[in-house]
Amino acid sequence: MRVLIVEDDPILLDSLTRAMRAAGYATDQAGDGELALGLLRGGGFDLAILDLGLPRVDGLQVLSRARAAGCRAPVIILTARDGIDDRVRGLDLGADDYLAKPFSLSELEARVRALLRRGQGGAPVLTCGTLSYDTVGRRASVGADMLELSQRELSVLEALLFRQGKVVSKEQLIESLCGYGEEVSANAIEVYVHRLRRKLEPAGVGIRTLRGLGYLMDRM
Ligand code: CA
């Protein structure tokens, strides 16, 4: 899962980035509204955290222009404590949730998880075959057995499981694994998928390769 973090306060940007990475998300950062808008228009994000008070282009403008350009990623806006008008305008312009500053990182993380799983019906545990995946603890198990997965395998599993039954392109997998500046090759993706496929087989879960299109996770 790939998260864009837009915040002009470098200290807050840094702590948000650390928290998101520690929670297992690939992250990209923008310190001003213009950069944020360019990144959001480029697509490829599963979620954005958007501060409203930004240099160059303010956050509400970023939001409305990104939505007008077809950006559908869930957006959490960060507002001032007394920014009720901003919250209302932000929600009306297409934000999915908001947090008033100062907020706790654990609350932000919980809201991020809630928005990301909304596409899967909102349950905190996702299932496929006899595989179950706890989105809070980031643990995969088959029956009573916990699956041992590397961080990268876990990221691939999440990307496929959150879009289960749909084709996920190799580019989407690469994007969900790395922030800009970090490299994951297409060959490496094939290796992670191969390993994951072997581990998921006992759960009756298959990862099909659709040549030229990508991968699809489904019950076998
Ligand atoms: Ca700000």
Side-chain angles (χ1 to χ4, degrees):
M1 298 278 122
R2 189 182 184 89
V3 175
L4 174 65
I5 304 167
V6 187
E7 170 59 63
D8 61 321
D9 174 346
I11 295 170
L12 186 53
L13 179 62
D14 188 55
S15 75
L16 293 174
T17 302
R18 280 168 202 245
M20 288 297 111
R21 289 201 172 160
Y25 305 112
T27 58
D28 291 292
Q29 298 87 35
D32 69 67
E34 199 173 288
L35 180 58
L37 192 53
L39 289 169
L40 285 170
R41 281 178 173 152
F45 295 101
D46 297 292
L47 182 138
I49 297 167
L50 175 66
D51 180 36
L52 291 188
L54 291 171
R56 297 165 88 87
V57 181
D58 86 74
L60 289 172
Q61 279 286 323
V62 171
L63 181 63
S64 73
R65 284 157 69 177
R67 288 291 187 236
C71 167
R72 290 193 186 164
V75 173
I76 301 178
I77 53 174
L78 306 180
T79 70
R81 183 194 283 277
D82 54 359
I84 293 169
D85 292 346
D86 280 348
R87 269 170 240 163
V88 171
R89 282 195 61 205
L91 292 168
D92 282 344
L93 288 172
D96 298 88
D97 201 355
Y98 68 85
L99 274 172
K101 292 179 179 180
F103 51 84
S104 80
L105 288 174
S106 58
E107 182 175 5
L108 174 66
E109 286 167 27
R111 286 172 187 262
V112 167
R113 285 194 295 271
L115 281 178
L116 286 176
R117 68 183 179 237
R118 206 160 65 178
Q120 288 296 325
V125 176
L126 304 179
T127 58
C128 184
T130 58
L131 169 77
S132 53
Y133 181 70
D134 169 4
T135 59
V136 179
R138 299 187 83 218
R139 284 184 299 260
S141 52
V142 179
D145 299 327
M146 202 79 83
L147 282 185
E148 282 198 29
L149 301 172
S150 70
Q151 277 304 315
R152 291 266 158 109
E153 288 165 4
L154 202 57
S155 295
V156 171
L157 173 72
E158 284 180 341
L160 293 171
L161 195 57
F162 274 87
R163 301 178 185 90
Q164 122 179 221
K166 294 184 189 135
V167 179
V168 181
S169 70
K170 203 178 265 185
E171 290 69 33
Q172 281 176 307
L173 283 183
I174 291 173
E175 280 177 351
S176 70
L177 254 70
C178 56
Y180 292 127
E182 288 172 56
E183 293 284 320
V184 177
S185 70
N187 287 344
I189 294 288
E190 285 175 18
V191 173
Y192 301 137
V193 168
H194 176 74
R195 288 192 198 141
L196 200 54
R197 191 177 272 144
R198 276 201 324 224
K199 293 181 183 179
L200 294 179
E201 227 163 52
V205 175
I207 303 174
R208 275 198 279 156
T209 305
L210 302 165
R211 207 154 284 287
L213 291 175
Y215 301 98
L216 187 147
M217 178 179 278
D218 221 337
R219 271 187 275 180
M220 287 196 290

